[in-house]
Amino acid sequence: MERAASLVVIIGVLFWIVSILIFKGLWRVQMVSAAIIIFGIVLAHISEEFYREEDE
Amino acid sequence: MARKRVSQAEEWQAWAKRYDIDDGIRTFESGLTLKVFLGALFVGLLMMPGSLYLTYVSGTSGAGAAPWVAVILFTELARRSFTTASRQELYMLLGLTGAAVGSGVQYRSFIWYSYFVKTPQAVSYEIADKIPWWVCPPPDSIAIAERTLLHRDWLAPIFIFVVFKLLGTIRHISAGYVLFRLTADLERLPYPLAPIQAQGATALAETTGKGETWRWRVFSIGSMAGLIWGFLYIGVPSLTGLMMTEPIQILKIPFIDFTQAIEGFAPSGIFALYTDWSQVVTGFVLPFPIVMSEFLSASFSQFFLNPFLYKQGLLIQWKAGMDVRSTSLANSLDFWLSYGMGKSFSFAIVGLAASIPMLIKMRSRKKVGSGQRGTLEPPPGRGDFPMWVMVGMWLAGMGLYVFIVHKYMVPNFPLIFLLGFAFLYTPLNSYITARTFGVLGRDLFELPYIHEMTFILSRYEEIDVWFVHLPDEDYGRGTQHWRVLELTGTTFTSNIAGTLLMMPILIVAGILVMHFVWQIAPIPSAQYPYANMMWPINATWECINKTALRDGNSQMLQAIRGDYLSAGLTSSLGIYGLLWVAKLPTMWFYGVVGGIGADPGSILPRLVGALIGRFYMIRRFGLRRWYMFNPVLAAGFTCGVGLTGMAVVAISLVSKAVIVKPF
């Protein structure tokens, strides 16, 4: 779960960099990358709350 | 070796414990006693007329220091009467006296609009005859001609004010409480500035007991430092200003501008060194990672990012030779205004992302004791309420408020916007502010020109809507007060009872005092120099603002750009996500994002305090002792600066009251 969250966040950030460099910072594309990062952050917190004790 | 992940739960819990003055172990007592109530009423009402008068004479009310003066008077009386005062009583006294002293100022809009309605500016901008009945009487009213608030023409504005005051109190108490439970109980955010007031009250309470502890010594050191600093920074310019045409400033107030000096290597960057070195004391108290990352991020913004944005053609209004104010305004309109809005939203999103899984888990797991992150279980004896009661109170208070505004004040203004402000914007705004207060000790969320945007979108063209207090509120600041109550061990019920008992007395007393101040002389007039100087300019600004959208256009609104706003939101979320991936503390997120776009010179005094604390004080006293000392020191310092401020205001008042005769 933790790895999945990290992966989603990194994909979101890379997509944001692409949105700035290739799509000239078009707000719609940036918001898509924001949505991906938010999904990653939610996964991160779910993993902290629900899976961390099991992992340990 | 891989870095061990410290979960947000462990991180916040550790910081919350560090800022807890009694290691979280305390008994709760009522702070409301008859002597506190009468003491607050007496001192507050004694100082309120002076505070109100000073507002019109010098523009400063001195109200900030009044509660500390009241508490010191109270403790001295207690010592001489061979009795004691508890810290609960003293904190309650601080709050109630502050409310009493400030109660006169809440009516100043009555006097302001009595003046405004008759100004040539209001007439020429065609506003004078459109000011609604619930704001002030018409310009030809005898109540305005005779300068009296005790007239039936004032019945409607005063009635509306009192009803709104009552509903506002209900909303602020209930919403503030709910947000406190979510941020302090559930999330265990540390509220780093809350121990200052709590430790101040505790230190002074100890002086009335038999044994004085380290707290009183540290408080006294802080007070002396505050007195000296207050004299140098506030006293010297104010007192020399009374005697000379150009006051002497030992340190230039409020900053020394180096913006033009750095433009050679950092075009469009700003750097103004703020000279209010009392911020060093705040730097002692705030978490070191926050201050450090804030400074680094602000320096990066001004020395690298702004020049880069300028070269890319995003900062188009900046010209060489501009000072800090012009550069800030130009950069803000070009980029940072929109970016800042986006980054503010990220605080709400990361807060919700952390809280929602916690709430889900809380419902499914076994009951955990109070004081632990992830539980809403209150400590015993704190005087808590069921959450649903408080949510219900807020809904009722807000619903009734929206109903009155829609039904009687602006019936043609679209209801959907009022509901949007009340039930979407206000909770979001308040939650973000509560979180930023919980971590940074200050507000970071601001949606500029939100009223203007709403009025344009609504296509509403009447002027009356500009005079309505729209239901966009912020209860987030109030959450810190609940945390101080908890730290001082004051029961919540006693605080609410004190507020509600004082309110009717202060409403009546405030009107009477305002009436008598107005009776002394017209406001503005030569007897009230500050109002005399500023009010005509303010009237012009008010006319310009209230008519700015007549052609459906505004330069400020055009400055809000969707792509920059998205960049602010996405980059901030990306920083949060990457810090999590790198297993770094969340504190860095608040510091880095808080500092982006800020002036590093404004953070430098705080950084000096944080560095001294981190690399000298902690080594000298040890971590635990230093975190016990520094809020007491800061409380003493605030008290010392406040006392100097009051003394200066008193001398200014006497000086302005003396009429020099030519023979």
Side-chain angles (χ1 to χ4, degrees):
Chain A
M1 190 72 166
E2 200 176 308
R3 281 186 190 165
S6 302
L7 191 67
V8 174
V9 166
I10 290 167
I11 290 170
V13 172
L14 290 175
F15 192 64
W16 178 64
I17 294 168
V18 169
S19 77
I20 297 289
L21 296 178
I22 296 173
F23 295 97
K24 308 279 181 203
L26 199 67
W27 72 270
R28 287 188 188 86
V29 188
Q30 287 196 68
M31 291 310 278
V32 173
S33 52
I36 298 170
I37 300 172
I38 291 169
F39 181 60
I41 292 170
V42 171
L43 277 183
H45 283 288
I46 290 173
S47 82
E48 275 197 2
E49 290 296 332
F50 292 96
Y51 296 96
R52 192 154 187 270
E53 286 160 24
E54 287 172 23
D55 291 348
E56 283 173 354
Chain B
M1 203 176 94
R3 187 197 296 269
K4 186 181 178 294
R5 179 179 297 288
V6 177
S7 74
Q8 205 179 71
E10 291 159 348
E11 187 189 346
W12 287 144
Q13 188 88 29
W15 280 102
K17 272 190 182 158
R18 198 175 284 189
Y19 284 105
D20 201 332
I21 61 176
D22 287 337
D23 292 332
I25 304 159
R26 65 178 65 80
T27 51
F28 290 90
E29 287 174 28
S30 168
L32 185 64
T33 54
L34 187 63
K35 61 182 177 185
V36 167
F37 185 72
L38 293 177
L41 209 58
F42 175 71
V43 179
L45 295 183
L46 204 69
M47 289 183 178
M48 189 230 287
S51 161
L52 192 58
Y53 183 76
L54 280 175
T55 310
Y56 294 125
V57 170
S58 65
T60 53
S61 66
W68 286 107
V69 175
V71 166
I72 289 169
L73 278 174
F74 194 82
T75 50
E76 286 304 315
L77 274 174
R79 285 168 71 158
R80 273 144 190 76
S81 316
F82 301 106
T83 182
T84 56
S86 68
R87 68 178 176 188
Q88 289 86 355
E89 285 179 320
L90 292 187
Y91 180 62
M92 185 73 91
L93 190 67
L94 270 175
L96 294 182
T97 314
V101 175
S103 60
V105 182
Q106 61 189 336
Y107 295 102
R108 66 182 164 189
S109 72
F110 290 165
I111 310 297
W112 161 252
Y113 282 116
S114 302
Y115 160 75
F116 179 74
V117 74
K118 296 178 85 167
T119 54
Q121 295 95 315
V123 175
S124 67
Y125 277 84
E126 298 171 12
I127 298 175
D129 56 338
K130 295 183 180 69
I131 295 177
W133 55 270
W134 33 265
V135 172
C136 76
D140 56 351
S141 163
I142 196 152
I144 293 181
E146 291 184 355
R147 301 197 312 272
T148 175
L149 285 174
L150 309 178
H151 190 275
R152 64 179 174 186
D153 286 3
W154 280 106
L155 270 180
I158 290 175
F159 177 73
I160 290 281
F161 173 85
V162 171
V163 171
F164 280 6
K165 175 88 183 161
L166 186 67
L167 291 175
T169 306
I170 292 171
R171 289 195 303 273
H172 276 86
I173 288 175
S174 53
Y177 174 80
V178 172
L179 289 168
F180 165 77
R181 297 295 308 278
L182 289 175
T183 52
D185 281 354
L186 182 71
E187 280 201 82
R188 305 297 300 160
L189 297 187
Y191 283 92
L193 297 186
I196 294 178
Q197 278 193 316
Q199 290 281 33
T202 308
L204 286 166
E206 280 179 355
T207 63
T208 66
K210 281 182 182 165
E212 286 176 4
T213 65
W214 59 269
R215 280 199 183 87
W216 180 240
R217 282 203 306 279
V218 176
F219 189 88
S220 305
I221 293 168
S223 301
M224 287 311 296
L227 282 171
I228 295 166
W229 172 252
F231 177 73
L232 295 175
Y233 195 66
I234 307 167
V236 171
S238 305
L239 297 176
T240 53
L242 294 173
M243 297 175 272
M244 304 172 185
T245 48
E246 194 70 31
I248 296 170
Q249 292 182 4
I250 295 171
L251 276 172
K252 197 164 177 260
I253 300 172
F255 50 69
I256 304 165
D257 189 2
F258 292 103
T259 302
Q260 287 155 342
I262 65 163
E263 69 183 31
F265 63 92
S268 78
I270 55 170
F271 190 85
L273 180 64
Y274 278 66
T275 51
D276 182 7
W277 286 85
S278 63
Q279 286 292 310
V280 171
V281 183
T282 311
F284 285 161
V285 183
L286 285 172
F288 179 76
I290 284 194
V291 184
M292 190 70 213
S293 51
E294 215 175 2
F295 179 76
L296 291 176
S297 141
S299 303
F300 176 77
S301 309
Q302 300 304 336
F303 296 123
F304 298 100
L305 201 54
N306 267 358
F308 174 75
L309 294 173
Y310 174 68
K311 281 182 187 139
Q312 293 297 315
L314 271 70
L315 301 179
I316 49 174
Q317 296 189 52
W318 180 81
K319 300 276 180 298
M322 278 183 169
D323 66 359
V324 64
R325 282 168 295 190
S326 317
T327 308
S328 295
L329 180 67
N331 292 352
S332 182
L333 291 174
D334 282 344
F335 182 78
W336 290 109
L337 185 76
S338 309
Y339 185 92
M341 286 166 71
K343 79 173 186 183
S344 299
F345 283 122
S346 72
F347 289 118
I349 292 169
V350 299
L352 290 173
S355 307
I356 291 170
M358 223 184 312
L359 283 168
I360 296 167
K361 191 179 179 186
M362 194 180 72
R363 292 175 69 90
S364 63
R365 74 173 166 187
K366 285 182 291 188
K367 211 172 175 181
V368 189
S370 67
Q372 293 300 310
R373 192 175 194 263
T375 173
L376 277 169
E377 188 69 27
R382 196 173 64 175
D384 281 85
F385 305 90
M387 288 280 271
W388 65 267
V389 171
M390 289 310 218
V391 172
M393 270 174 62
W394 180 76
L395 285 172
M398 188 56 104
L400 197 54
Y401 178 64
V402 170
F403 173 77
I404 293 171
V405 169
H406 178 65
K407 180 84 178 169
Y408 300 106
M409 298 170 84
V410 281
N412 297 323
F413 185 69
L415 179 62
I416 189 78
F417 289 99
L418 294 177
L419 293 173
F421 269 123
F423 298 106
L424 283 177
Y425 176 75
T426 295
L428 180 76
N429 181 23
S430 303
Y431 180 62
I432 295 172
T433 309
R435 284 188 60 79
T436 55
F437 260 87
V439 182
L440 299 165
R442 65 192 166 95
D443 188 6
L444 271 186
F445 185 66
E446 193 190 349
L447 280 187
Y449 312 109
I450 189 162
H451 289 181
E452 286 83 346
M453 272 191 278
T454 312
F455 299 156
I456 285 180
L457 289 170
S458 69
R459 299 175 187 276
Y460 186 79
E461 291 177 352
E462 299 296 323
I463 203 91
D464 56 1
V465 75
W466 285 94
F467 295 92
V468 173
H469 173 60
L470 290 170
D472 58 329
E473 296 181 329
D474 187 348
Y475 316 114
R477 290 166 182 273
T479 50
Q480 184 159 292
H481 165 66
W482 292 92
R483 176 68 177 151
V484 182
L485 285 174
E486 186 183 39
L487 290 176
T488 51
T490 311
T491 53
F492 292 176
T493 38
S494 66
N495 179 63
I496 294 173
T499 308
L500 295 179
L501 278 172
M502 284 287 262
M503 198 171 69
I505 301 170
L506 296 182
I507 285 174
V508 176
I511 291 175
L512 289 176
V513 170
M514 195 77 211
H515 167 79
F516 288 122
V517 169
W518 201 16
Q519 285 283 302
I520 294 172
I523 307 174
S525 66
Q527 277 86 343
Y528 299 107
Y530 179 81
N532 209 23
M533 187 175 73
M534 297 306 294
W535 279 25
I537 305 163
N538 293 348
T540 308
W541 273 113
E542 181 142 355
C543 290
I544 291 169
N545 285 335
K546 285 185 169 32
T547 54
L549 300 176
R550 271 186 179 162
D551 57 353
N553 206 356
S554 164
Q555 189 195 2
M556 294 296 181
L557 283 179
Q558 287 169 3
I560 297 169
R561 297 267 306 264
D563 39 2
Y564 300 161
L565 192 147
S566 323
L569 173 69
T570 319
S571 59
S572 305
L573 290 171
I575 290 168
Y576 184 85
L578 291 177
L579 286 171
W580 188 85
V581 171
K583 301 179 182 175
L584 288 168
T586 321
M587 279 282 179
W588 286 88
F589 164 73
Y590 289 94
V592 170
V593 175
I596 293 179
D599 174 8
S602 66
I603 304 168
L604 200 60
R606 280 204 298 278
L607 180 73
V608 170
L611 288 171
I612 295 172
R614 175 78 175 74
F615 294 106
Y616 177 72
M617 297 297 193
I618 289 177
R619 284 182 189 170
R620 175 94 165 73
F621 298 107
L623 181 80
R624 192 178 145 70
R625 282 178 77 204
W626 174 237
Y627 270 85
M628 279 160 67
F629 286 170
N630 67 33
V632 185
L633 195 71
F637 192 88
T638 312
C639 182
V641 173
L643 290 175
T644 315
M646 282 214 82
V648 167
V649 163
I651 295 168
S652 307
L653 190 63
V654 171
S655 160
K656 283 184 176 26
V658 174
I659 300 163
V660 180
K661 295 204 170 179
F663 49 85

